[in-house]
Amino acid sequence: AQKVTQAQTEISVVEKEDVTLDCVYETRDTTYYLFWYKQPPSGELVFLIRRNSFDEQNEISGRYSWNFQKSTSSFNFTITASQVVDSAVYFCALKYTGANSKLTFGKGITLSVRP
Amino acid sequence: DTEVTQTPKHLVMGMTNKKSLKCEQHMGHRAMYWYKQKAKKPPELMFVYSYEKLSINESVPSRFSPECPNSSLLNLHLHALQPEDSALYLCASSQDQYSNQPQHFGDGTRLSIL
């Protein structure tokens, strides 16, 4: 069974603060893929990053960085110097490679960045 | 701008109406998806089409009927919906169903059932 846990439900920070969004996953597959999506109030889910299970390199993209640790089954997302435009719901998702392959989403984290 | 286009953006319909949601992509993707999302919840998968054939039906009630006329288009036909079907309906596409390529989502259709 696949499961994604985003224990934080709502986070509120002041602009320019750093914030980390946690994601813990469970899977019995040895090959799997992890994703982060952003959903602003407009509704569209915006793809942010993908990580393959065999690639534990961390990644930085501008103010965004991701920490993937297989030992703890975690794939955490940090926003540095947050901005009001970062306010959105953030979903972590897991995809396995077997038959009926599909995305399993976490419950999402609502991030509010106050000016 | 999203590369997956959904129409209409908003739809209000009565329980006896018949309507259709449309989704289009021109990225050459061979997998297309319908999701239903209620407020403050993650998207729930409804259907997956792979190479224009229905691959997954997540036990969706028959009042929702998907159709994939060609590799670029995906429709969702609605008939005799219930008030609890009010939600955001998201369409997505990906290179194929099984690879590590991400799904790309449209803006969604906000559906209200009166």
Side-chain angles (χ1 to χ4, degrees), chain A residues 86-101:
Chain A
D86 296 326
S87 298
V89 181
Y90 291 87
F91 291 99
C92 181
L94 168 70
K95 182 180 179 185
Y96 56 93
T97 59
N100 294 326
S101 175

Side-chain angles (χ1 to χ4, degrees), chain A:
Chain A
Q2 324 290 319
K3 186 177 178 183
V4 176
T5 301
Q6 295 181 262
Q8 305 150 309
T9 52
E10 294 185 15
I11 301 175
S12 181
V13 299
V14 177
E15 213 170 13
K16 296 184 184 175
E17 280 186 38
D18 298 347
V19 58
T20 295
L21 311 181
D22 298 333
C23 174
V24 174
Y25 62 91
E26 295 174 34
T27 179
R28 277 177 269 181
D29 291 298
T30 55
T31 300
Y32 52 88
Y33 312 117
L34 294 162
F35 303 85
W36 275 95
Y37 284 88
K38 172 183 179 180
Q39 188 174 37
S42 57
E44 176 195 358
L45 269 86
V46 178
F47 164 68
L48 296 178
I49 191 171
R50 175 200 68 222
R51 257 296 166 261
N52 302 328
S53 55
F54 44 84
D55 179 5
E56 284 196 72
Q57 269 195 334
N58 292 325
E59 183 156 336
I60 298 174
S61 176
R63 297 184 296 107
Y64 294 172
S65 62
W66 290 269
N67 185 335
F68 175 32
Q69 293 199 343
K70 284 182 77 170
S71 60
T72 56
S73 297
S74 65
F75 186 39
N76 297 337
F77 173 26
T78 297
I79 302 174
T80 302
S82 59
Q83 299 177 1
V84 172
V85 293
D86 296 326
S87 298
V89 181
Y90 291 87
F91 291 99
C92 181
L94 168 70
K95 182 180 179 185
Y96 56 93
T97 59
N100 294 326
S101 175
K102 56 189 176 185
L103 272 181
T104 299
F105 286 92
K107 291 187 176 180
I109 301 170
T110 300
L111 175 65
S112 299
V113 182
R114 309 187 305 278

Side-chain angles (χ1 to χ4, degrees), chain B residues 60-105:
Chain B
V60 178
S62 60
R63 57 185 184 268
F64 295 91
S65 175
E67 179 197 19
C68 189
N70 60 55
S71 60
S72 300
L73 292 174
L74 185 66
N75 298 323
L76 186 63
H77 303 298
L78 315 173
H79 175 54
L81 294 195
Q82 304 298 307
E84 61 264 27
D85 297 323
S86 297
L88 178 67
Y89 288 83
L90 292 161
C91 174
S93 70
S94 65
Q95 192 171 62
D96 65 68
Q97 184 181 352
Y98 299 102
S99 75
N100 63 355
Q101 296 304 304
Q103 293 180 22
H104 295 268
F105 287 80

